[in-house]
Amino acid sequence: MIDKRVALSQAARLVPDGATVAFGGSLLHRFPGAFARELARQERHGLHFVKPSPGYDLDLLCRAGAVDEATVGIATMEAGLGMLPSFRSRAERGILQVHEHA
Amino acid sequence: MGIATGLRAAAQGVSFLPIAGFQGSDLVAALGLKTVRDPYTDQEFVAVPRLQPDWAIVHVPEADMSGNARIYGSPFWDRLMARAARRTIVTAERIVPREELARQPERTTVPEVLVAAVVEAPSGAWPGSCYPLYQVDYPAVERYLSALDDDTAFAAYLADEPGLAARRADLATTARLADEAAASERRLSAPPAVEDETNQPGPATLVRTLGDAARG
């Protein structure tokens, strides 16, 4: 049995700039929020973000300038909270390449 | 649909998978997807190329120190992502003894062989939910949305994680609820004590088991 426990900051350092990362969870449920914030604090750049139904996690990484490319299906905060403002802004300005799936 | 198919191709070690249901969508052209002809029936399908993440990042209620991870409720695409990605990082509300997961190995969503690192991260899905520990913290999501307009506010948001300390205090009190939910799930999915020779849980057995669980 291998002990693979590391600190959050160490785990985030495993993901280099430019990596393709798939985030678990769905919309506002069970997404790796602490991990997303740590990537943002470490000023990661050029990530390709993959998730069928991202929300807060994708938006936060867009706001932090960490994501250049996103492969997503539905991307929203959920009812009552609206769209993902940072994701939308970067897509509209052409600095985020979006691959939209159903 | 297309994303899951691309991840499935990666998990299965093939360069594409055919998919039904994309026909007629503008997304086929927008994504530059090609079609493939079934050599058996001559039917045409959209072919989704492999989508292999370098990393899958999954947050779970429970994992052991080696990365065996258990999810309660829907696994969403986490199970598939871990199998499609080159390697997986697991963040977990709590680290549990290996023996606890080994008692019900079929409940392990992500096996340790796929996992490179494990992080103990209480409230790791905050401000989102993590069943059965906590619900979505909607006021905290709104605080995030209000911190986006200027760089100073956003930097402060990342530095301070406002609300997280309080959230973690709450979590200590809800750990008991998680234990109860886990015990309940164990009762529900434990092999039923049936007397027929096949020892297979039939519908009647399942109803009886559910009834026993409901009665506590």
Side-chain angles (χ1 to χ4, degrees):
Chain A
M1 177 162 57
I2 304 169
D3 187 353
K4 300 174 187 169
R5 287 174 295 177
V6 297
L8 181 62
S9 57
Q10 288 175 288
R13 275 194 285 276
L14 292 171
V15 177
D17 286 348
T20 297
V21 287
F23 268 58
S26 179
L27 299 176
L28 289 177
H29 305 287
R30 210 171 42 65
F31 60 80
F35 195 91
R37 289 187 294 273
E38 182 59 25
L39 283 177
R41 280 193 292 268
Q42 291 185 15
E43 300 181 355
R44 200 65 76 252
H45 292 294
L47 297 178
H48 176 188
F49 185 98
V50 175
K51 182 168 176 173
S53 54
Y56 170 100
D57 45 5
L58 173 59
D59 198 72
L60 181 128
L61 288 169
C62 282
R63 179 61 180 83
V67 178
D68 284 357
E69 196 175 344
T71 296
V72 297
I74 182 174
T76 177
M77 278 296 184
E78 277 192 5
L81 292 164
M83 299 179 72
L84 304 181
S86 314
F87 165 76
R88 180 177 183 171
S89 161
R90 287 177 71 82
E92 286 177 346
R93 284 183 284 149
I95 53 178
L96 174 71
Q97 191 183 357
V98 179
H99 309 288
E100 180 191 349
H101 284 252
Chain B
M1 179 170 67
I3 298 174
T5 304
L7 292 171
R8 261 181 217 114
Q12 294 174 20
V14 294
S15 55
F16 75 91
L17 278 176
I19 184 173
F22 244 146
Q23 290 90 338
S25 168
D26 288 344
L27 291 176
V28 174
L31 292 164
L33 296 175
K34 297 179 179 178
T35 57
V36 65
R37 198 167 287 283
D38 178 347
Y40 299 102
T41 67
D42 217 32
Q43 195 178 350
E44 197 167 37
F45 291 98
V46 172
V48 178
R50 169 176 55 211
L51 177 55
Q52 181 167 47
D54 297 308
W55 290 95
I57 317 295
V58 300
H59 183 74
V60 303
E62 295 172 344
D64 70 19
M65 64 166 70
S66 304
N68 294 297
R70 179 183 288 177
I71 289 168
Y72 295 101
S74 174
F76 303 117
W77 294 273
D78 295 39
R79 187 180 182 283
L80 176 59
M81 284 173 172
R83 284 155 178 79
R86 292 179 202 280
R87 290 200 289 176
T88 297
I89 295 169
V90 169
T91 67
E93 294 290 330
R94 55 180 186 167
I95 306 298
V96 300
R98 184 188 190 85
E99 298 70 35
E100 196 171 320
L101 299 184
R103 272 198 290 273
Q104 276 191 282
E106 74 280 7
R107 294 297 311 274
T108 296
T109 315
V110 179
E112 63 179 35
V113 67
L114 305 173
V115 177
V118 181
V119 177
E120 185 168 13
S123 281
W126 179 88
S129 74
C130 186
Y131 178 81
L133 285 162
Y134 48 90
Q135 304 274 0
V136 177
D137 183 349
Y138 286 103
V141 177
E142 286 174 16
R143 282 199 296 280
Y144 162 75
L145 291 169
S146 68
L148 297 175
D149 284 345
D150 75 79
D151 291 343
T152 310
F154 184 66
Y157 178 83
L158 284 180
D160 296 342
E161 303 213 355
L164 187 53
R167 183 57 250 158
R168 285 189 172 155
D170 287 349
L171 188 61
T173 62
T174 53
R176 182 180 55 79
L177 297 176
D179 286 338
E180 287 173 8
S184 170
E185 294 226 16
R186 270 197 293 277
R187 274 204 305 279
L188 288 172
S189 53
V194 291
E195 272 117 42
D196 64 285
E197 66 238 20
T198 60
N199 201 35
Q200 292 301 306
T205 309
L206 182 60
V207 168
R208 198 160 61 236
T209 309
L210 287 167
D212 289 347
R215 283 189 294 275

